[in-house]
Amino acid sequence: MGISANLERLIEAAAPYWAGEAEVFRSYWDSATRSRESDRRWLALQCAKEVWGSGLAPLDKGIFLGPAEQLVAAFPGIDLSIDRHEVLEIAEGLRAEFAHYCAFADAHDALALPGEPKLNPHALKGGWPEDLALSALRFAHKKENARLGERATRFTEGGYCTLFSEGMALKDRTQGPHGRANVLIAAACAQVYEDEFGHMLKGIVGLDGEGLSATEWTMLERMALEQLRGRIRMRNAQFGNPLTGFALERALAGACTPIAFDYAKAGARLAA
Ligand SMILES: [Fe+2]
Ligand SMILES: [Fe+2]
């Protein structure tokens, strides 16, 4: 994967924050307060993100209705005013994010007791304060600088997929009180992981072709790191605040041992 020194520096700056986000999940899996209820809560909140998008799309439409309306609007212009592949990409995005909603909603519903209602996207509207703060930050960055704000948002999408990789790692922990939940969570995360790795790559690909100036790279990095700190707060609240005190401060300060960006995997995906 041939990338510029600027992009490499951005990835390096992001890596300890990705690790901080991963810390949230690892602490939660083993926390004494984890229960069937708390698993159902974070799964429902994850479903909200998969439908409403946390600043990736206008809040009232989210990442289902937004692209669905784009597709309807695009149809008369396919191969006239909009390229067929661009349309296919919108359709694939819609399919992927809805598949993620289904994966987490299925895990959530499988953990229900008899009589507990199923999830639906409409009941999930509104997110939670830290997720709304992340959305607001992303919108503010887009307002400050449309191109760089959008780039930072796409760069930080999915937070290097650490929820999905840490969730997948639960697959062998089938014993104990959370054994059944672990299997369900690992299966859902496995369904989502490869898609989201691709979405993250899309946020990275093309950055070098944007012809950014040194000042713009600095601004992009500032926005990306602010969003990554916002992601740690959002995840910590989603999981009932497993990180507190020094552990939280450390994660927010970017002081966790960085996650090594998998250049080989990224390169192979891009070549495919
Ligand atoms: Fe997703
Ligand atoms: Fe995505």
Side-chain angles (χ1 to χ4, degrees):
M1 190 187 172
I3 61 165
S4 70
N6 282 319
L7 181 49
E8 209 171 310
R9 202 162 47 237
L10 178 63
I11 289 172
E12 221 170 90
Y17 295 95
W18 291 332
E21 194 171 326
E23 255 327 285
V24 173
F25 314 123
R26 279 199 296 266
S27 308
Y28 171 77
W29 305 144
D30 296 317
S31 77
T33 53
R34 183 179 170 195
S35 63
R36 185 189 72 90
E37 289 76 13
S38 67
D39 276 345
R40 298 231 316 153
R41 177 179 176 272
W42 80 256
L43 285 163
L45 295 179
Q46 184 61 28
C47 288
K49 289 180 70 63
E50 303 291 358
V51 177
W52 298 108
S54 309
L56 267 60
L59 280 184
D60 57 331
K61 300 207 193 299
I63 48 181
F64 183 99
L65 196 54
E69 287 184 359
Q70 273 178 296
L71 287 173
V72 171
F75 183 69
I78 295 176
D79 287 340
L80 297 165
S81 55
I82 180 167
D83 181 79
R84 71 193 73 150
H85 298 103
E86 215 176 298
V87 178
L88 183 59
E89 200 163 304
I90 301 170
E92 281 172 354
L94 169 56
R95 195 219 165 267
E97 297 303 347
F98 191 60
H100 304 169
Y101 166 77
C102 292
F104 288 110
D106 286 349
H108 172 276
D109 291 348
L111 290 173
L113 295 177
E116 281 181 330
K118 280 180 151 190
L119 277 188
N120 72 71
H122 313 291
L124 298 169
K125 207 169 177 181
W128 61 102
E130 292 78 1
D131 192 49
L132 292 172
L134 174 63
S135 302
L137 180 65
R138 283 171 162 166
F139 289 129
H141 285 160
K142 289 181 208 182
K143 207 171 161 202
E144 179 185 343
N145 184 310
R147 189 163 69 122
L148 295 180
E150 180 63 32
R151 276 294 181 179
T153 298
R154 292 181 58 193
F155 178 78
T156 60
E157 182 186 344
Y160 199 65
C161 305
T162 56
L163 170 57
F164 315 119
S165 52
E166 296 297 330
M168 281 162 76
L170 292 175
K171 86 172 175 357
D172 300 320
R173 297 173 60 178
T174 58
Q175 303 303 311
H178 306 302
R180 184 163 168 270
N182 286 347
V183 171
L184 290 165
I185 291 164
C189 288
Q191 285 183 54
V192 174
Y193 177 75
E194 288 297 331
D195 279 350
E196 284 300 344
F197 198 84
H199 291 181
M200 177 205 62
L201 284 180
K202 272 191 194 156
I204 291 178
V205 168
L207 255 177
D208 275 337
E210 291 271 305
L212 302 182
S213 67
T215 324
E216 287 173 319
W217 276 106
T218 307
M219 188 188 246
L220 177 66
E221 179 174 321
R222 194 245 309 148
M223 288 176 171
L225 299 191
E226 276 175 30
Q227 291 184 21
L228 290 174
R229 281 191 282 273
R231 287 190 61 89
I232 293 171
R233 289 194 194 91
M234 172 277 288
R235 288 304 196 192
N236 201 36
Q238 181 183 5
F239 283 77
N241 299 305
L243 294 188
T244 52
F246 179 66
L248 178 60
E249 276 167 38
R250 203 168 140 252
L252 290 172
C256 293
T257 307
I259 286 186
F261 185 86
D262 192 340
Y263 285 99
K265 184 180 165 70
R269 277 292 296 265
L270 292 174

